[in-house]
Amino acid sequence: MADLRVDICGLAFPNPVLPAAGPPGRDGRALLACAEGGAGGLVAKTISTRPAQVPTPNMAEIPHGFLNCELWSELPPEQWLEHEYALARTAGLPLIVSLGYTAQDIAELAPRARPFADALELSTHYIGEDAQPMVEAIRAAKAAVDVPVFVKLSPLGREMRRAARLAQQAGADGIAAINSFGPCMAIDIETGLPLMGSHEGHGWLSGPALKPLAVRCIYEIAQEVDLPILGVGGVSRGEDAIEMVMAGAWAVQVCTAAILRGPQVYGRIASEIGRWLDEHGYASLADIRGLAHRQAAARPFRTQAVPPRLDVGRCTGCRLCEQSCPLGAIRVVDRTARLNLTLCSGCGLCVTRCRPRALLAC
């Protein structure tokens, strides 16, 4: 079976699937449940110098995604420092302690959290376009502790390449990307009320809808800096993690899927990663890390139509390709797709729609 172990900044993870800072790591007992569910490492919910006052309702499943107006931990930092971190450490897995938000907060909390932390993760969720607060937070953490410091970047209009470059220059040892996206909003049409109880009904988007944005950010960060990346955002199955690793991630963090399906999801995703690697002939994650960059570099940019290739033996005649072809270039005859190459523009939609993978990109 493929080797799922990964070493990041000297920390040995038995598999690359971790909780993201949030409800799955809300306290020590929850973190132990993540470990029992198969997580390869632990990431505790973000703490700050005071407990959060969390509005209600604060979480909702929506089509293709998830909204939340959660904040940092509602537990006082003293409870984490006196009880929760020590309990989490009994799992025997690397523990990443998440801290927020200002340099002053970090300077106060980091030395106190150091006895429990194998690494720190700094949240930048409430930092806008000005990168200086992020830079100052990283420097404060690096001055206070001797463990790796990861910075979690948010996609709030921020130019990810520049943010990653500045994070590396400030001394960050790695990057987690990305945080949830927003503000967003959803309304219960039966009551007319926003689903979130926050000010103005706003929340933040996570879950499957976030994954394409996360993959793009990971891809760009990997092009810009030579730092390990923890991919976050929309991972709910092994194939999602594979995609992020191909974009440049070293490991992934999972939050929404664990909220909806329980902490056992970590082990399931890890098993799915291993199974995919085995089926495709890869010995480890290192074999596919950054593969998308290498493949893209090897394929020239094309402006002329390149029709897909049809494997007739795989075609089931389901008509998905015919229904969605915008140019009418595909017709199903006798339960087999037929391509009209003079009409095909090479848009690629049919390749992504074909469930039996009878249509393949050239």
Side-chain angles (χ1 to χ4, degrees), residues 318-325 330 348-359:
C318 69
R319 295 187 180 273
L320 281 178
C321 56
E322 179 183 272
Q323 292 168 7
S324 56
C325 179
I330 304 178
L349 175 60
C350 61
V351 174
T352 62
R353 292 275 284 162
C354 185
R355 300 300 181 258
R357 296 186 65 81
L359 288 163

Short mmCIF file of all heavy atoms in Angstrom, two decimals, residues 318-325 330 348-359:
data_model
loop_
_atom_site.label_atom_id
_atom_site.label_comp_id
_atom_site.label_asym_id
_atom_site.label_seq_id
_atom_site.Cartn_x
_atom_site.Cartn_y
_atom_site.Cartn_z
N CYS A 318 -25.36 7.42 -22.03
CA CYS A 318 -26.18 8.09 -21.01
C CYS A 318 -26.72 9.45 -21.47
O CYS A 318 -27.62 10.00 -20.85
CB CYS A 318 -25.37 8.27 -19.73
SG CYS A 318 -24.00 9.45 -19.86
N ARG A 319 -26.13 10.03 -22.48
CA ARG A 319 -26.56 11.29 -23.10
C ARG A 319 -26.18 12.55 -22.31
O ARG A 319 -26.59 13.65 -22.69
CB ARG A 319 -28.08 11.31 -23.37
CG ARG A 319 -28.54 10.28 -24.38
CD ARG A 319 -30.01 10.44 -24.73
NE ARG A 319 -30.42 9.45 -25.70
CZ ARG A 319 -30.32 9.61 -27.03
NH1 ARG A 319 -29.82 10.74 -27.51
NH2 ARG A 319 -30.70 8.65 -27.84
N LEU A 320 -25.42 12.43 -21.26
CA LEU A 320 -25.01 13.64 -20.54
C LEU A 320 -24.21 14.57 -21.46
O LEU A 320 -24.39 15.79 -21.43
CB LEU A 320 -24.18 13.28 -19.31
CG LEU A 320 -24.92 12.82 -18.07
CD1 LEU A 320 -23.93 12.44 -16.97
CD2 LEU A 320 -25.88 13.90 -17.57
N CYS A 321 -23.33 14.00 -22.25
CA CYS A 321 -22.52 14.82 -23.15
C CYS A 321 -23.40 15.51 -24.19
O CYS A 321 -23.22 16.69 -24.49
CB CYS A 321 -21.45 13.97 -23.82
SG CYS A 321 -22.08 12.54 -24.72
N GLU A 322 -24.35 14.78 -24.74
CA GLU A 322 -25.24 15.34 -25.75
C GLU A 322 -26.08 16.48 -25.17
O GLU A 322 -26.24 17.53 -25.80
CB GLU A 322 -26.15 14.25 -26.31
CG GLU A 322 -27.13 14.73 -27.37
CD GLU A 322 -28.05 13.61 -27.83
OE1 GLU A 322 -27.66 12.89 -28.77
OE2 GLU A 322 -29.14 13.47 -27.24
N GLN A 323 -26.60 16.27 -23.97
CA GLN A 323 -27.45 17.28 -23.34
C GLN A 323 -26.72 18.58 -23.09
O GLN A 323 -27.30 19.66 -23.19
CB GLN A 323 -27.99 16.74 -22.02
CG GLN A 323 -28.97 15.58 -22.17
CD GLN A 323 -29.26 14.91 -20.84
OE1 GLN A 323 -28.83 15.38 -19.79
NE2 GLN A 323 -29.97 13.79 -20.89
N SER A 324 -25.45 18.51 -22.75
CA SER A 324 -24.75 19.71 -22.31
C SER A 324 -23.81 20.31 -23.34
O SER A 324 -23.23 21.37 -23.09
CB SER A 324 -23.96 19.40 -21.03
OG SER A 324 -23.07 18.33 -21.25
N CYS A 325 -23.65 19.69 -24.51
CA CYS A 325 -22.75 20.26 -25.51
C CYS A 325 -23.35 21.56 -26.06
O CYS A 325 -24.43 21.54 -26.67
CB CYS A 325 -22.53 19.28 -26.66
SG CYS A 325 -21.43 19.95 -27.95
N ILE A 330 -22.14 16.69 -30.31
CA ILE A 330 -22.21 15.29 -29.88
C ILE A 330 -23.66 14.81 -30.03
O ILE A 330 -24.60 15.48 -29.59
CB ILE A 330 -21.75 15.11 -28.42
CG1 ILE A 330 -20.35 15.65 -28.23
CG2 ILE A 330 -21.81 13.65 -28.02
CD1 ILE A 330 -19.85 15.54 -26.80
N GLY A 348 -14.12 21.32 -23.68
CA GLY A 348 -13.79 20.42 -22.59
C GLY A 348 -14.92 20.06 -21.65
O GLY A 348 -14.74 19.23 -20.76
N LEU A 349 -16.10 20.66 -21.82
CA LEU A 349 -17.20 20.39 -20.90
C LEU A 349 -17.59 18.92 -20.90
O LEU A 349 -17.81 18.32 -19.84
CB LEU A 349 -18.41 21.26 -21.26
CG LEU A 349 -19.68 21.01 -20.45
CD1 LEU A 349 -19.44 21.25 -18.97
CD2 LEU A 349 -20.83 21.89 -20.97
N CYS A 350 -17.66 18.31 -22.06
CA CYS A 350 -18.10 16.92 -22.13
C CYS A 350 -17.16 15.99 -21.39
O CYS A 350 -17.59 14.98 -20.81
CB CYS A 350 -18.26 16.49 -23.58
SG CYS A 350 -16.72 16.55 -24.55
N VAL A 351 -15.87 16.31 -21.39
CA VAL A 351 -14.90 15.47 -20.69
C VAL A 351 -15.21 15.45 -19.19
O VAL A 351 -15.15 14.41 -18.54
CB VAL A 351 -13.46 15.97 -20.95
CG1 VAL A 351 -12.46 15.20 -20.10
CG2 VAL A 351 -13.12 15.83 -22.43
N THR A 352 -15.55 16.62 -18.64
CA THR A 352 -15.84 16.69 -17.20
C THR A 352 -17.21 16.12 -16.86
O THR A 352 -17.46 15.74 -15.72
CB THR A 352 -15.77 18.15 -16.71
OG1 THR A 352 -16.77 18.94 -17.37
CG2 THR A 352 -14.39 18.74 -16.98
N ARG A 353 -18.11 16.05 -17.84
CA ARG A 353 -19.45 15.52 -17.60
C ARG A 353 -19.52 14.00 -17.77
O ARG A 353 -20.43 13.37 -17.23
CB ARG A 353 -20.44 16.16 -18.58
CG ARG A 353 -20.69 17.64 -18.36
CD ARG A 353 -21.76 17.85 -17.31
NE ARG A 353 -23.08 17.57 -17.86
CZ ARG A 353 -24.17 17.33 -17.13
NH1 ARG A 353 -24.06 17.30 -15.81
NH2 ARG A 353 -25.32 17.10 -17.69
N CYS A 354 -18.59 13.42 -18.46
CA CYS A 354 -18.67 11.99 -18.80
C CYS A 354 -18.34 11.15 -17.58
O CYS A 354 -17.20 11.08 -17.14
CB CYS A 354 -17.71 11.67 -19.94
SG CYS A 354 -17.84 9.96 -20.51
N ARG A 355 -19.36 10.47 -17.05
CA ARG A 355 -19.17 9.68 -15.83
C ARG A 355 -18.33 8.42 -16.07
O ARG A 355 -17.49 8.10 -15.22
CB ARG A 355 -20.54 9.30 -15.24
CG ARG A 355 -21.40 10.51 -14.84
CD ARG A 355 -20.68 11.36 -13.80
NE ARG A 355 -21.50 12.51 -13.40
CZ ARG A 355 -21.31 13.74 -13.85
NH1 ARG A 355 -20.34 14.00 -14.73
NH2 ARG A 355 -22.07 14.73 -13.43
N PRO A 356 -18.50 7.68 -17.16
CA PRO A 356 -17.65 6.49 -17.38
C PRO A 356 -16.27 6.82 -17.95
O PRO A 356 -15.51 5.91 -18.26
CB PRO A 356 -18.47 5.64 -18.35
CG PRO A 356 -19.26 6.61 -19.12
CD PRO A 356 -19.61 7.74 -18.16
N ARG A 357 -15.97 8.11 -18.12
CA ARG A 357 -14.68 8.56 -18.66
C ARG A 357 -14.44 7.97 -20.06
O ARG A 357 -13.32 7.56 -20.41
CB ARG A 357 -13.52 8.23 -17.72
CG ARG A 357 -13.63 8.95 -16.40
CD ARG A 357 -12.40 8.73 -15.53
NE ARG A 357 -11.19 9.30 -16.14
CZ ARG A 357 -10.85 10.59 -16.08
NH1 ARG A 357 -11.64 11.46 -15.43
NH2 ARG A 357 -9.73 11.01 -16.62
N ALA A 358 -15.49 7.98 -20.85
CA ALA A 358 -15.35 7.56 -22.25
C ALA A 358 -14.80 8.69 -23.11
O ALA A 358 -14.22 8.44 -24.17
CB ALA A 358 -16.71 7.10 -22.80
N LEU A 359 -15.01 9.93 -22.68
CA LEU A 359 -14.46 11.10 -23.37
C LEU A 359 -13.24 11.58 -22.60
O LEU A 359 -13.32 11.87 -21.40
CB LEU A 359 -15.52 12.21 -23.45
CG LEU A 359 -16.68 11.92 -24.44
CD1 LEU A 359 -17.86 12.83 -24.16
CD2 LEU A 359 -16.20 12.09 -25.88
#
